[in-house]
Amino acid sequence: MAQPPFPAPELGEPYLLTPGPLTTSYEVKQAMLKDWGSWDDDFRAMTRDMRDRLLAMIGDGAETYDCVPIQGSGTYAVEAMLGTFVPKGGKVLVLANGAYGLRAAKTVEYLGRGLRLLDKGDYLPPRGDEVAAILAEDTGITHVLAIHCETSSGILNPIEEIAEATKAAGRTLLIDSMSAFGALPLDPLALNCAAFVSSANKCIEGVPGFGFVIVRKDVLAASKGNCHSLALDVYDQWATMEKTGQWRFTPPTHTVAAFIEALKMHEAEGGVDARGARYAKNRDVVVEGMRGLGFQTLLDDRWLSPIITTFFCPADPSFTFQGFYDAMKARGFIIYPGKLTVVDSFRIGCIGRMDHHVMTRVVVAAKEALADMGVASAEPPAAALEERNKLAA
Ligand SMILES: *Cc1c(COP(=O)(O)O)cnc(C)c1O
């Protein structure tokens, strides 16, 4: 399928090399140049169309699952999923290897549900055999929460083996696929996944304003009365939407319009496979180019997602993140600070309306930025590499 053009953002805006909000297409922005009444038939039809298009993306599961949008950022959707589908006496095994896993664990604590945390630090994926061992030993665990792509490091977690271990132990699997859905295959039926969440402003390339829960219909039906929160009750949102076609409270009308345009463009590009291939190429070009400049990635190639890549900050004393950020911004690229707990790092996102030609320019800009700052070598501190090698061994 022919690739659509990737014009530079309008009005000389920089590219957002960030994991959402991200660079969106002109068509997506243009779709917001109109006002909709939330009660009107036109907007109700748009909501229905959006839910159907999202369900069509999960293939064979479309009949078994339903899609419920929730206002707010992605975190609201994660909290809505946990609060609605984990009953008050439930206990969740949270598989964490970065900031988003830890945020989910904190959410479980806020909700007053039982928590078991497997924290793998910044570098390592939770593995199926570890999950199996914990589930065998801790029989109180009812649910497992996995992060599909841990956006804080960019690690792509082994969701299949986690799903297999969860299913074998007869527990319920919930997935945060916020930064993966739309670019990486996710077949909830095959994974025996009860529910997963994603949001408007990640791989589908819409603008921020809501998230959505894709949930098995029987799990949804059994969840009535579970939720601690009215605004975040997925069951109640669904029940109202089924009855009236409306969102319970003010919907993000313009964001929905933009998202439908983004879904159409996703389909026109060739769906999940084509989107994932474009992002993977973006990653390959930026990783190869940055390594050519002397930078090193936090992760082994095996765990590098096509979503976002973490690079160590160079050891050279002339390097500062702020200096690098400013020099990149002056060249039209907004990069992202690192979110690691131990070593200094920065991140370059591969998602959004851009292709490998843009990524080639990112590498040129990085080279010029190093020269601006007088950084002779982009090599990270030896200690960072030693720690990485030790942990990854
Ligand atoms: C973006 C993201 C979230 C949600 O973050 P918000 O800032 O609330 O949108 C949750 N989990 C993961 C893995 C994410 O990438």
Side-chain angles (χ1 to χ4, degrees):
M1 193 166 290
Q3 283 288 314
F6 293 89
E10 295 70 38
L11 308 170
E13 290 165 24
Y15 282 97
L16 299 178
L17 305 175
T18 55
L22 37 64
T23 296
T24 58
S25 68
Y26 184 76
E27 291 86 338
V28 163
K29 296 180 185 89
Q30 198 176 35
M32 293 184 282
L33 293 175
K34 198 182 148 184
D35 302 313
W36 286 270
S38 61
W39 300 72
D40 186 70
D41 279 348
D42 291 349
F43 187 70
R44 279 191 253 201
M46 284 160 64
T47 297
R48 183 71 260 170
D49 181 36
M50 172 183 83
R51 293 169 69 198
D52 290 344
R53 285 176 185 275
L54 286 168
L55 285 170
M57 285 172 62
I58 61 166
D60 290 345
E63 293 296 309
T64 314
Y65 289 77
D66 210 334
C67 170
V68 189
I70 290 281
Q71 296 95 324
S73 81
T75 304
Y76 293 65
V78 174
E79 186 159 336
M81 172 172 75
L82 288 166
T84 307
F85 305 128
V86 180
K88 295 206 167 73
K91 180 172 183 179
V92 188
L93 169 61
V94 173
L95 307 176
N97 51 347
Y100 291 102
L102 295 178
R103 188 185 296 175
K106 194 171 172 184
T107 305
V108 170
E109 283 181 327
Y110 260 75
L111 297 178
R113 273 36 168 192
L115 169 69
R116 173 76 182 257
L117 176 64
L118 173 64
D119 184 359
K120 299 295 306 263
D122 292 331
Y123 305 86
L124 297 174
R127 302 304 300 259
D129 53 357
E130 295 174 290
V131 174
I134 294 171
L135 294 180
E137 167 248 312
D138 191 340
T139 52
I141 294 170
T142 53
H143 292 68
V144 174
L145 178 87
I147 311 288
H148 194 175
C149 171
E150 176 47 77
T151 324
S152 53
S153 64
I155 196 166
L156 182 55
N157 284 320
I159 209 76
E160 283 84 8
E161 61 183 52
I162 292 166
E164 210 175 293
T166 305
K167 185 181 181 190
R171 314 299 168 80
T172 302
L173 179 64
L174 305 173
I175 300 176
D176 170 354
S177 188
M178 206 71 65
S179 64
F181 184 65
L184 294 169
L186 182 62
D187 182 341
L189 203 56
L191 296 175
N192 196 43
C193 168
F196 73 86
V197 286
S198 187
S199 74
N201 61 282
K202 301 232 166 153
C203 297
I204 298 171
E205 300 182 354
V207 302
F210 68 94
F212 50 90
V213 184
I214 306 245
V215 53
R216 228 171 50 211
K217 287 175 182 169
D218 60 324
V219 173
L220 186 59
S223 69
K224 187 176 181 180
N226 274 350
C227 198
H228 63 294
S229 156
L230 172 65
L232 296 177
D233 189 344
V234 179
Y235 179 89
D236 201 50
Q237 177 91 325
W238 168 81
T240 299
M241 224 168 243
E242 286 301 294
K243 207 163 115 199
T244 68
Q246 291 163 12
W247 302 51
R248 287 173 305 165
F249 315 122
T250 302
T253 45
H254 297 73
T255 300
V256 171
F259 192 63
I260 291 170
E261 184 59 32
L263 283 165
K264 288 179 183 166
M265 294 185 78
H266 182 269
E267 195 184 324
E269 187 175 347
V272 173
D273 291 347
R275 181 65 51 98
R278 172 159 62 86
Y279 291 170
K281 177 107 191 187
N282 285 351
R283 173 203 57 201
D284 291 346
V285 166
V286 82
V287 166
E288 197 191 316
M290 295 293 279
R291 282 179 178 158
L293 300 179
F295 286 99
Q296 298 229 24
T297 60
L298 165 75
L299 300 171
D300 270 4
D301 287 0
R302 176 177 178 203
W303 302 113
L304 282 181
S305 70
I307 307 303
I308 189 165
T309 303
T310 298
F311 295 93
F312 289 121
C313 287
D316 191 314
S318 300
F319 184 94
T320 60
F321 174 75
Q322 193 59 48
F324 188 60
Y325 181 93
D326 292 341
M328 292 297 285
K329 184 175 177 185
R331 289 169 172 81
F333 300 108
I334 300 281
I335 63 166
Y336 212 48
K339 225 182 200 177
L340 302 183
T341 45
V342 186
V343 294
D344 288 335
S345 62
F346 64 90
R347 294 177 285 174
I348 294 186
C350 308
I351 65 179
R353 206 71 197 153
M354 57 206 188
D355 64 4
H356 63 278
H357 299 295
V358 176
M359 300 317 259
T360 301
R361 286 167 42 206
V362 171
V363 176
V364 173
K367 186 177 179 180
E368 292 171 1
L370 292 180
D372 276 8
M373 289 188 290
V375 174
S377 164
E379 276 293 314
L385 292 180
E386 263 164 41
E387 191 187 353
R388 177 187 73 180
N389 294 340
K390 198 169 62 201
L391 283 164

